[in-house]
Amino acid sequence: ETAKMVEVLFIFGLILYFIGAIGLLIDEFKTGCLWGLCGLLFQITHYVFAIIHFQECKRSLFCIVSGALLMIGSVILSCLAV
């Protein structure tokens, strides 16, 4: 039963993370085509964009952080359940 809950939490976190990442990429393209292309090619661009344009992308960042925390929490929970 715990294993199923851990799987569901991890998958939900992963989906939430990807929704946030796609949202961040959309925010980058809204700001400028160069931001979007750099975001597609270089991961560091996401961090730079998020720092410079925090107000525009805070919802996407919230999804990314929430998804990452759910995934990390599910891994910790699975280690404790063993």
Side-chain angles (χ1 to χ4, degrees):
E1 182 175 310
T2 305
K4 284 285 187 192
M5 184 177 73
V6 168
E7 288 176 16
V8 169
L9 279 176
F10 188 84
I11 291 171
F12 183 68
L14 189 64
I15 291 169
L16 196 58
Y17 182 89
F18 279 127
I19 289 171
I22 291 170
L24 184 61
L25 194 59
I26 290 170
D27 293 336
E28 290 172 348
F29 271 109
K30 283 181 184 177
T31 302
C33 192
L34 188 60
W35 274 114
L37 289 175
C38 287
L40 278 173
L41 298 174
F42 309 107
Q43 183 67 32
I44 190 74
T45 308
H46 292 303
Y47 304 122
V48 173
F49 181 83
I51 291 169
I52 295 172
H53 300 281
F54 179 74
Q55 290 300 320
E56 291 90 12
C57 64
K58 60 184 169 185
R59 260 196 303 193
S60 300
L61 288 175
F62 178 75
C63 286
I64 290 171
V65 171
S66 299
L69 288 175
L70 276 174
M71 288 188 288
I72 292 168
S74 68
V75 169
I76 291 171
L77 187 62
S78 71
C79 291
L80 293 175
V82 170

